[in-house]
Amino acid sequence: SVSSNGKEKEPHLNSLWRSKQLEYTFRRATMNQYLPMSCCTRDALDYSCNVFKAQVSESEKDALCSAYRSLPCFPDCRQGLSLLKNEGHRIFAFSNGTRDDICSLLSKSELQELFDGVVVVDDMEKPTFKPDPRVYEYFLNETEACLEQTWLISSNSFDIIGAGECGWNTMWMHRDPKTVFDTWSDGHKPTGVAKSMNEISDMLRNV
């Protein structure tokens, strides 16, 4: 996180950083001006520091952006993924990030053995970002997955809606009760809602 000349500004700066990071991916996808997620992350950090007049050095910004490669996983991830694996599900990391970044995250969390593979937009012939429908089609082609049996598990409303529009089943991770799902009059609602990864195996068994 970033401190911006006063602790009271810190959560607001961090929130702006995340929202701008997503906004920049959406804008680049719309304009067909792809750059890796790490570039969007850095640009969003620069913008947020300017807004809050935060005194953050270039080396400190480098360290903050590098932290995205080693974020801790939620405590329930290992057990929840293991339950899914034991049920015979194939599990893939599916991300707007780069392969190196996602593999770094999985390695840091010691979860890589639970995944069957990694699918990232950066490997596309003409990369773009979710929720572009081409990204979801790319996943199905890369994994040779059946559309009707494919589930997206995500805490991001935009990803759930994007996958739903492409015909996927979706599971929204609703860990924080204060989080509200995006309200779109014609948008897809999630197929299911889970508060913990440990719930998902039973939920899929009962579909």
Side-chain angles (χ1 to χ4, degrees):
S1 65
V2 182
S3 178
S4 55
N5 300 330
K7 285 290 184 181
E8 71 280 358
K9 292 183 180 179
E10 184 175 337
H12 301 291
L13 193 155
N14 289 326
S15 178
L16 178 62
W17 182 16
R18 172 58 175 163
S19 65
K20 275 293 174 181
Q21 179 199 46
L22 292 177
E23 179 188 332
Y24 287 173
T25 65
F26 300 155
R27 286 162 61 176
R28 286 195 170 278
T30 302
M31 297 185 295
N32 292 320
Q33 295 291 326
Y34 175 83
L35 283 177
M37 184 71 159
S38 57
C39 296
C40 298
T41 301
R42 181 55 177 262
D43 289 346
L45 177 58
D46 289 340
Y47 174 87
S48 302
C49 288
N50 288 337
V51 168
F52 287 95
K53 298 180 173 53
Q55 302 301 312
V56 183
S57 69
E58 292 303 306
S59 61
E60 288 172 328
K61 289 179 180 178
D62 290 342
L64 287 165
C65 290
S66 294
Y68 266 92
R69 295 169 53 89
S70 57
L71 293 172
C73 67
F74 287 97
D76 60 343
C77 282
R78 172 166 291 280
Q79 182 178 356
L81 290 169
S82 297
L83 289 169
L84 289 168
K85 198 74 173 173
N86 292 337
E87 290 283 334
H89 296 287
R90 291 196 300 155
I91 304 172
F92 294 87
F94 179 36
S95 174
N96 273 343
T98 65
R99 180 170 295 275
D100 284 348
D101 288 345
I102 301 309
C103 288
S104 175
L105 282 170
L106 296 180
S107 176
K108 176 73 174 178
S109 301
E110 300 182 343
L111 295 174
Q112 61 268 44
E113 76 277 4
L114 295 173
F115 285 83
D116 293 273
V118 173
V119 180
V120 293
V121 300
D122 199 57
D123 288 345
M124 296 173 68
E125 183 176 351
K126 294 182 178 180
T128 184
F129 290 108
K130 302 178 191 180
D132 189 314
R134 290 173 293 176
V135 178
Y136 302 99
E137 181 180 3
Y138 174 73
F139 176 92
L140 295 176
N141 291 336
E142 286 295 298
T143 60
E144 298 181 343
C146 172
L147 173 63
E148 293 78 12
Q149 296 178 356
T150 301
W151 286 76
L152 177 80
I153 301 171
S154 177
S155 61
N156 294 312
S157 297
F158 77 86
D159 205 1
I160 294 292
I161 293 172
E165 288 289 339
C166 294
W168 289 34
N169 299 295
T170 56
M171 184 71 68
W172 183 43
M173 289 301 304
H174 191 202
R175 297 181 183 276
D176 184 352
K178 296 191 294 292
T179 302
V180 178
F181 193 81
D182 285 344
T183 304
W184 279 24
S185 58
D186 58 347
H188 277 267
K189 301 256 188 322
T191 313
V193 178
K195 296 178 182 177
S196 165
M197 284 291 295
N198 296 332
E199 301 175 2
I200 296 178
S201 179
D202 284 341
M203 295 174 73
L204 295 188
R205 194 184 307 118
N206 295 324
V207 170

